[in-house]
Amino acid sequence: MCGIVAYVGSGEAAPILLAGLERLEYRGYDSAGLAIQNGQGLELRRVAGRIEGLNRVVAENPVAGSAGIAHTRWATHGPPTEANAHPHIDTAGEIAVVHNGIIENADLLREQLIRRGHQFRSDTDSEVLAHLISEQKVPPLQLAVARALRLVEGTFGIAVISANEPGRIVCARRGSPLMIGLGRGAIYAASDASAILPYTRRVLYLDDGEMAVFDATGCDIVCMEALTKVDKPIQEIEWDLQEAERGGYSHFMLKEIYEQPETIAQTMRGRILPGSTGVRLGGLRDVAPALRDAKRVIFTACGTSWHAAAIGANLLEELCRVPATVEYASEWRYRNPVLEEGTLVIGVSQSGETADTLAAIELARERGCTTLGIVNTVGSSVARLTDAGVYLHCGPEIGVASTKAFTSQVTAMALFALCMADKRGVLSEQEVCGWIDALQALPRQVEEVLEQAEEIEALAQRLLSHDNFLYLGRGYSYPVALEGALKLKEISYVHAEGFSAAEMKHGPIALIDENMPVVVVAPRDATYAKVKSNMQEVKARGGRLIAVTTHPNGVAELADEVLFVPHTKDGLLPILTSIPLQLLAYHIGVLRECDVDKPRNLAKSVTVE
């Protein structure tokens, strides 16, 4: 979602800011802009649309200065126009602000500010911040920012500059991620590490209620309320910028699909004990008693992470014999849920910054639950907020539609379930060894699935004329059907819906005719016989069947098109069956000339509710 970059140092700010914005493009945005302190005041350049447009504007009308802030906006308040693009300035043009998040009392604050003579130029909630800060009329800048933010309800990650304090930048966070990069003779701020990684690996992560005040000589972290300094550990970013490059592939999404043999192996690396006798997850050491004694497990997540969590809940019930459910974070947090003693709450998020998931975890913590995180981004908000957790270690995922993070999430769920089962003593050594053997075989099996890429591309060509799809599955395959439908919607803008195959006859079957492709995830697992019956119901009504299955069998004979995957444990089949659906969505999207890496209206890290 919206991206922030800030810089102060001895070099020219504009090229650094523009390069940082380009590395944030994957997050999803619809306008962009920057503000530079030029020694005499502030200069803004803003555009509706892509960053290449902002590059052209700056090239045609250059701006000089060694300190500045920049932003990519994903529209929430007001359409994507130049006036609504960030940065926003106050009436006098002396304060510039970039903002991620939502100001919930913006309408009330705007009315009050207008009555006091402030002139607004945009439809956004974010512009309120610039006017609030300017109204404080107190130096230094950080004091004005702190006072203004005490009036604000909602979430924010902001960077602020003032024409009256050259060379100084103030950042603040409440519910939206920000980090400070410590360079040589320069300080950076960003909402995502990729923006600053070419310049430094040494970072400070802001927590909620903290501000960063910095110039080219150094940075102080300050408590927003007490205005006292906070000691923060310097952390090192572990991954390389080259991991975020396309590496010869046409799109990041395709690259990340093909990375899955390695990323699944990375998720397991160092976590399977020698001799394949068990699983070691060091991040869970401190919560071992909670895993042993848990009476109930609740996963909370959004989007693709919800689908992975649904598979995880099934794995926990099967392997650990503990009741497990999955909840949409955006709904669960408003339901006043019953959270009795012994409930374990697990937040799942690729970015670790998903606003609804963070709020759900906060709710669980307030109710006294042990909380865990399953995340990819080291140092993210979910990772810092939870009591313990599991990192995916699958590297940066640039494509907005998740692929490798999904399969790594399911891999991590299986490792977690085996770890928890060990703590609870519910699996025999033979059963554990069987699961570990199956896990270790996955990278090779994924390579086998990827060998069908040309066949899947040809299938995409044959299905290109269709505008509606159904995806069906049962048991472990039901979340895969949901995920497959989501991928097709995200990438190709084709309408697709996922259903439990058993529920098809309770309504969706009315849609089936010769123009409705029905993709059925039907490996030979515990639900195979039932899914085969559901497929016969589709066939009897003239539907076009595309089956993802494990080997030639009755399902293959029934379907019009078949994609095969190797056989494995039922609970690991979603890793294999999801990959043909990723490739199918990708190729349909490319054939429809869609921007598969940056689908319209979507964002990689959803930091607003």
Side-chain angles (χ1 to χ4, degrees), residues 525-580:
D525 61 6
T527 64
Y528 170 77
K530 298 298 183 184
V531 173
K532 185 178 177 181
S533 296
N534 299 140
M535 292 178 66
Q536 289 169 333
E537 293 164 358
V538 173
K539 196 69 174 177
R541 288 155 180 83
R544 183 174 181 180
L545 278 168
I546 299 97
V548 179
T549 189
T550 42
H551 54 75
N553 50 40
V555 161
E557 296 167 5
L558 190 60
D560 300 289
E561 310 273 3
V562 185
L563 300 171
F564 292 109
V565 302
H567 189 71
T568 186
K569 295 277 189 183
D570 286 10
L572 301 180
L573 279 167
I575 293 171
L576 302 178
T577 54
S578 64
I579 292 171

Side-chain angles (χ1 to χ4, degrees), residues 393-469:
H393 297 309
C394 70
E397 188 177 64
I398 306 302
V400 168
S402 182
T403 53
K404 67 177 184 177
F406 171 76
T407 53
S408 283
Q409 283 173 337
V410 178
T411 304
M413 301 283 182
L415 293 171
F416 173 76
L418 288 170
C419 180
M420 189 169 179
D422 176 62
K423 299 290 187 281
R424 300 169 76 88
V426 295
L427 291 181
S428 69
E429 183 175 330
Q430 183 179 4
E431 289 172 317
V432 171
C433 289
W435 275 91
I436 289 176
D437 288 346
L439 279 164
Q440 291 179 316
L442 281 172
R444 175 181 50 78
Q445 292 178 318
V446 171
E447 289 175 352
E448 290 181 39
V449 177
L450 292 171
E451 289 171 1
Q452 302 175 73
E454 290 186 6
E455 181 183 341
I456 295 170
E457 184 176 6
L459 174 60
Q461 184 72 61
R462 293 194 293 273
L463 297 174
L464 190 59
S465 62
H466 295 280
D467 294 322
N468 297 281
F469 284 69

Side-chain angles (χ1 to χ4, degrees), residues 268 320 333 346 396 404 470:
M268 293 188 285
C320 304
R333 56 179 292 215
I346 304 175
K404 67 177 184 177
L470 288 181

Side-chain angles (χ1 to χ4, degrees), residues 89-300:
I89 58 173
D90 66 318
T91 303
E94 296 177 346
I95 298 290
V97 177
V98 291
H99 166 233
N100 291 351
I102 298 287
I103 306 303
E104 294 175 354
N105 60 337
D107 290 344
L108 175 61
L109 292 171
R110 178 189 287 258
E111 291 175 6
Q112 294 171 347
L113 288 162
I114 289 173
R115 286 199 296 268
R116 295 198 290 268
H118 292 261
Q119 298 173 3
F120 281 76
R121 303 174 177 89
S122 78
D123 304 316
T124 70
D125 58 328
S126 303
E127 188 183 355
V128 164
L129 295 169
H131 293 276
L132 281 179
I133 293 167
S134 72
E135 195 172 59
Q136 304 308 310
K137 299 188 184 303
V138 290
L141 179 60
Q142 62 264 33
L143 181 56
V145 171
R147 288 183 177 179
L149 292 179
R150 289 169 190 160
L151 305 173
V152 168
E153 298 173 8
T155 60
F156 52 79
I158 63 169
V160 187
I161 54 175
S162 170
N164 300 318
E165 298 187 32
R168 174 174 290 173
I169 299 176
V170 175
C171 295
R173 169 194 168 139
R174 184 202 292 162
S176 191
L178 275 179
M179 64 182 66
I180 308 301
L182 307 176
R184 293 184 177 180
I187 306 291
Y188 309 83
S191 53
D192 188 302
S194 59
I196 61 175
L197 195 54
Y199 313 109
T200 183
R201 291 176 175 274
R202 301 170 69 241
V203 296
L204 302 169
Y205 291 99
L206 289 187
D207 288 316
D208 283 353
E210 292 179 347
M211 297 194 304
V213 183
F214 57 93
D215 56 26
T217 65
C219 175
D220 289 329
I221 307 298
V222 179
C223 172
M224 208 181 302
E225 283 296 321
L227 295 177
T228 53
K229 288 187 180 180
V230 178
D231 290 328
K232 303 284 288 188
I234 297 174
Q235 300 189 41
E236 293 280 334
I237 299 173
E238 296 178 354
W239 50 276
D240 295 317
L241 188 62
Q242 66 185 27
E243 294 183 65
E245 301 298 334
R246 283 212 307 262
Y249 287 91
S250 302
H251 300 90
F252 281 113
M253 182 180 179
L254 186 61
K255 171 179 179 278
E256 288 157 3
I257 289 172
Y258 273 91
E259 285 178 340
Q260 288 174 108
E262 175 58 24
T263 54
I264 289 167
Q266 286 175 194
T267 300
M268 293 188 285
R269 190 163 291 137
R271 290 168 164 174
I272 293 177
L273 296 172
S276 301
T277 58
V279 168
R280 175 179 53 228
L281 296 175
L284 302 180
R285 189 179 299 111
D286 293 340
V287 294
L291 300 184
R292 183 191 63 233
D293 301 332
K295 298 176 182 176
R296 178 186 175 205
V297 178
I298 298 173
F299 289 92
T300 183

